[in-house]
Amino acid sequence: ILRWRQGFGRLIRRKTDEGVVMILDRRVLSKRYGSAFVDSLPDCTVIRQPSNRVNELLVRWFNRNR
């Protein structure tokens, strides 16, 4: 979990940084230890969607008003 959190921290370093992190490993949702991984992340929006919606959600995120 520590390496997971450190990897996330390398992507988002400042409060003004923004981005998308996609976790495509089903075990994060299906295994008991998965919630420990998600809970270890800093405050962020978590969206759980089927993989066939990934493209649509990314396009919406990149085209959003800031």
Side-chain angles (χ1 to χ4, degrees):
I1 291 176
L2 179 60
R3 285 163 124 180
W4 162 278
R5 186 176 170 92
Q6 287 172 335
F8 191 90
R10 287 185 181 101
L11 297 171
I12 306 294
R13 294 183 177 261
R14 296 178 191 89
K15 289 188 183 249
T16 57
D17 288 348
E18 55 186 24
V20 174
V21 174
M22 292 187 340
I23 303 164
L24 302 175
D25 192 326
R26 187 176 294 249
R27 292 174 294 179
V28 171
L29 298 175
S30 66
K31 300 292 183 183
R32 269 185 10 181
Y33 59 81
S35 62
F37 279 85
V38 175
D39 293 343
S40 74
L41 297 176
D43 288 339
C44 60
T45 302
V46 176
I47 301 172
R48 295 179 177 137
Q49 293 291 319
S51 59
N52 63 350
R53 292 204 57 218
V54 168
N55 189 46
E56 169 199 345
L57 294 169
L58 286 174
V59 168
R60 284 176 48 196
W61 189 85
F62 282 112
N63 291 324
R64 77 194 186 291
N65 292 328
R66 294 186 187 134

